[in-house]
Amino acid sequence: MKFLSALSVVVVVLVSSFVMAHPHFNKSVTAKLPSGAEATVAYNTTPANMSLATDAPAGKFITPRGPSLTLSGDAMSGGTAIPAGDYTIGVIKTGSDWTMALYKGKLARGTEPDMANVIKLDSMYSSSEGSADHMLIDITPGEGKHEGKAVLTLHFGTMFLAGSLS
């Protein structure tokens, strides 16, 4: 009898954890850039674990679960050319600031990227855009120094980055 009671408790706990667990979605966004190229972002709504940002080493390409960008044609970010192709979206910590960057190709989880394949975007960083509980990536119209351009945005916890794409 005690075994059945214990088994019942275990089943209830397991079932309730599935019911109360919140989902993480695979998302994609597609936009036509001013250059005419089509840009498609694909990612998973990864929980924002700010210790990843706090503990990130300076100068290294960091990517939370490998979000990707596919460009159907060539684009620019500031004065930097971005050839058509597939990229992994990430960030680089520079002191107390951050820069949005793209890694040419797909990165396997835990792989140390070759920094020669990293393209730094003309980007802006802010920690005052509110907080996102899960990673949010989008392509939106730019503002400020990115006025009139498309920007790739990444919101992760209190980190908000916008990198120009044109």
Side-chain angles (χ1 to χ4, degrees):
M1 189 67 163
K2 287 183 180 183
F3 173 75
L4 287 176
S5 295
L7 182 61
S8 296
V9 170
V10 169
V11 169
V12 168
V13 169
L14 287 174
V15 169
S16 65
S17 69
F18 286 115
V19 170
M20 293 188 308
H22 63 275
H24 298 283
F25 303 109
N26 289 322
K27 295 179 79 173
S28 65
V29 175
T30 300
K32 191 161 203 128
L33 301 178
S35 67
E38 195 167 84
T40 301
V41 171
Y43 70 102
N44 183 277
T45 56
T46 303
N49 177 352
M50 288 307 293
S51 67
L52 292 175
T54 305
D55 299 340
K60 296 215 178 216
F61 181 84
I62 308 293
T63 183
R65 299 263 174 140
S68 66
L69 170 70
T70 300
L71 294 172
S72 68
D74 296 345
M76 296 289 290
S77 183
T80 304
I82 307 169
D86 295 320
Y87 296 88
T88 301
I89 301 168
V91 295
I92 299 171
K93 187 177 192 177
T94 54
S96 62
D97 202 6
W98 293 83
T99 300
M100 186 177 288
L102 302 174
Y103 178 82
K104 181 72 173 154
K106 303 284 183 196
L107 269 178
R109 194 170 187 175
T111 302
E112 186 72 27
D114 177 358
M115 292 303 282
N117 291 327
V118 173
I119 299 171
K120 292 180 181 178
L121 300 182
D122 176 25
S123 59
M124 296 186 317
Y125 166 73
S126 173
S127 60
S128 61
E129 299 289 324
S131 184
D133 292 332
H134 292 81
M135 182 167 57
L136 300 171
I137 302 176
D138 204 351
I139 301 168
T140 64
E143 55 185 50
K145 78 174 192 172
H146 294 146
E147 187 71 37
K149 299 174 184 165
V151 293
L152 178 64
T153 62
L154 186 148
H155 200 169
F156 185 81
T158 57
M159 297 174 60
F160 181 84
L161 287 105
S164 72
L165 293 173
S166 55

